[in-house]
Amino acid sequence: ALRERGLRLRTPDEDVTQQLTAVDAPEEVELDVDDVLILATKAHQANDMLRRWTDAPVRRNGGVVGTAGEHLPIFTALNGVAGEAFAHRYFRRVYGVCVWMPVVHLAPGEVIIRSTPRSGTLHIGRVPKTATDHDHFLHRTAVDLMAANFDVPTPDDVMAWKYRKLISNIGNVFQALVARNGDWRPLVAAAEDEARRVLDAVGITYVSDAEEAAARDAGFTMKPVPGVPQSTGGSTWQSLQRGTGNVETDYLNGEIVMIAHQAGLEAPINQRLAMLGRRAAATGAKPGDMSAEELAALDDLGREGRWDVFGRTLKVTNLDKVLFPAREGEDPVTKRDFLRYVAQTAHVAVPYLRV
C-alpha cells in the first residue's frame, strides 16, 4: 500500500498523502554507519524484525565495515518493557522509547493521529541508563524527532517511564474485549492495583502518577479527526478489529504475570486477562462482543451461582473444576474458563448451528 499509494496521514488539522520509500527487507536498502534504526512493531512481532535486521551489512564510504547489530543504534518504540531485552540479543546499542501517541491504524497505508499541535510525546534514553553526558546518537535522534513534530524528553531512566506506561496499558484488553459495552473502569482498577503490587514487591521503579500527569498536561491535546468515529479504540482494540489473529497482551498483562512468577508471586487477574486476550484474537472476536457486566459477573461468582449472559440466566456449578489438565507451557482449563471461551466465541459458532 505504501509503495502504490503513499502514506495517508489524517490529523485534527490536516489530511495529507506523502510518498515514501518503502522496503520489505534489509536487502533492499544500503545501511550507512550514520543510520539509526527505529523498531515500531507490536511487542510480539519484534523478535522477527530484530533477527532480520541485525546481520544486515553496514557501509562506510561504500565499503562494508560490519553488521547493523555491531554498528547501528536501535530505538525500541514498543509498548511494554520486553522490547529492550529482545533487542540486546541482537544489537550492541539499544535505546528505549516510551510512546505516547494516540494513533489509529485500521486500513493499509493510512495512519490517523488524534493529537494536536504535536503528534505525540516520545521519551527516549539509553538502556541500560548510562552516566554519559553527551550521547551523539541520542541527541541527534531527539532533534530529528522534534523536527518531525514530536515532543522528545530524554530522561535519565527511560525504563521508569516505560514501566509506568505498562501499568496504563493493563487496561487495553478491557477496551478490546468490552469496547463501549459497559463500564469496565472498575475492572481496570483492580488489574492495575495488582500490577503495582507486583512491581513494588520486586523493587521495579516507575514514574509516579503525579509526574506522569504533569508531563501529559504539558503535552499534546486530543481532538477528533474528521470522519473518524469517537468509538475507535487503542492498539489492542485495533488488533481485534482488524482480525489480525494475535494481540500483544502477553507482553502487557502477561509481563506482570512473568515478573510475579519469577519472584514466586501470583498475579491471577492479569493472568486471566492475558488468556482472554489470546483467546479473543484466536477466535476472531470483535470489540464489544462481551459486556463488562457479563465479564465481571462470571469472575465474581464463587464455585457456583447464576450467570446473566446474552439475555438469559444460567445456573452454573463447579466453576473451578478442571476440565482440561494443564499442558506444557499452558494453564489448566477450568469450567469457568470454558464458559468464558464459549461466550466469547458464540458470535462465530451460533450462525453454524441448526435446530
Side-chain angles (χ1 to χ4, degrees), residues 192-211:
E192 288 187 357
D193 286 346
E194 181 182 82
R196 291 174 188 272
R197 288 196 299 270
V198 169
L199 296 179
D200 292 343
V202 300
I204 290 177
T205 301
Y206 51 90
V207 168
S208 69
D209 292 353
E211 186 174 3

Side-chain angles (χ1 to χ4, degrees), residues 54-286:
T54 184
D55 296 324
V58 174
R59 291 172 170 77
R60 176 188 285 119
N61 299 325
V64 174
V65 295
T67 66
E70 295 169 325
H71 289 277
L72 300 187
I74 189 164
F75 287 73
T76 51
L78 312 175
N79 280 339
V81 294
E84 291 69 33
F86 292 159
H88 274 125
R89 290 181 173 88
Y90 304 101
F91 285 82
R92 184 169 62 87
R93 285 176 293 173
V94 175
Y95 295 80
V97 184
C98 179
V99 181
W100 294 352
M101 193 176 179
V103 170
V104 178
H105 172 54
L106 294 175
E110 179 178 289
V111 173
I112 300 165
I113 302 178
R114 299 178 289 187
S115 55
T116 188
R118 292 292 198 176
S119 298
T121 300
L122 307 173
H123 292 80
I124 64 175
R126 185 76 180 264
V127 180
K129 61 181 180 179
T130 66
T132 304
D133 291 331
H134 182 74
D135 187 316
H136 167 70
F137 283 107
L138 178 66
H139 293 287
R140 192 187 78 179
T141 303
V143 169
D144 288 343
L145 290 172
M146 285 188 283
N149 201 39
F150 291 97
D151 286 323
V152 190
T154 55
D156 291 336
D157 184 7
V158 71
M159 293 307 296
W161 288 88
K162 297 201 71 167
Y163 273 104
R164 178 60 187 85
K165 193 191 176 194
L166 173 65
I167 296 172
S168 299
N169 287 148
I170 291 298
N172 286 16
V173 66
F174 288 110
Q175 184 190 49
L177 293 174
V178 177
R180 291 176 176 260
N181 193 8
D183 184 5
W184 38 266
R185 287 172 297 180
L187 304 176
V188 173
E192 288 187 357
D193 286 346
E194 181 182 82
R196 291 174 188 272
R197 288 196 299 270
V198 169
L199 296 179
D200 292 343
V202 300
I204 290 177
T205 301
Y206 51 90
V207 168
S208 69
D209 292 353
E211 186 174 3
E212 191 211 34
R216 290 191 181 274
D217 288 343
F220 56 81
T221 300
M222 294 278 287
K223 288 182 64 176
V225 176
V228 178
Q230 291 296 298
S231 59
T232 303
S235 59
T236 306
W237 183 98
Q238 293 170 42
S239 292
L240 287 190
Q241 185 66 26
R242 293 200 308 269
T244 61
N246 51 65
V247 290
E248 60 183 346
T249 46
D250 282 344
Y251 297 98
L252 302 176
N253 308 86
E255 188 76 24
I256 297 300
V257 175
M258 184 191 73
I259 294 170
H261 288 174
Q262 288 176 336
L265 305 171
E266 297 294 334
I269 298 174
N270 281 281
Q271 183 169 354
R272 181 162 291 173
L273 291 173
M275 178 189 68
L276 287 175
R278 288 192 299 271
R279 291 182 177 175
T283 59
K286 296 296 183 184

